[in-house]
Amino acid sequence: MTEEFKKGDHVKWKTSNGETTGEVEKKLTSPTEIKGHHVAASEDNPEYQVKSDKTGKQAAHKPDALEHIKEQ
């Protein structure tokens, strides 16, 4: 089963420059645009809008690309 995330969850994901971390801003359940990129999210295929800790930039990722970061 695909993991669910909620606003404020701290997550990590892989990028072309290695691994990065950020915070979930919201669950996307309808098509939208982020930074000029089309995000084909839907109720059956949701994505999550995240904000990078390092750059502050927003991106959308499928749930299986994200992993919760365990709080210390």
Side-chain angles (χ1 to χ4, degrees):
M1 181 171 154
T2 302
E3 190 167 7
E4 288 280 325
F5 299 93
K6 63 184 183 311
K7 181 178 178 163
D9 282 350
H10 206 210
V11 295
K12 63 183 176 180
W13 63 93
K14 291 182 175 46
T15 71
S16 57
N17 295 325
E19 193 171 83
T20 194
T21 62
E23 187 175 301
V24 174
E25 293 192 314
K26 64 182 170 180
K27 183 177 185 177
L28 304 173
T29 56
S30 61
T32 190
E33 298 279 327
I34 296 179
K35 297 186 314 186
H37 296 281
H38 180 72
V39 179
S42 68
E43 287 285 342
D44 293 333
N45 192 24
E47 296 198 27
Y48 289 90
Q49 181 175 315
V50 295
K51 183 176 180 180
S52 169
D53 287 337
K54 185 188 275 189
T55 65
K57 292 183 179 179
Q58 295 176 327
H61 293 287
K62 294 186 182 300
D64 59 357
L66 300 173
E67 183 180 334
H68 274 114
I69 294 176
K70 305 294 186 246
E71 298 299 325
Q72 302 278 339

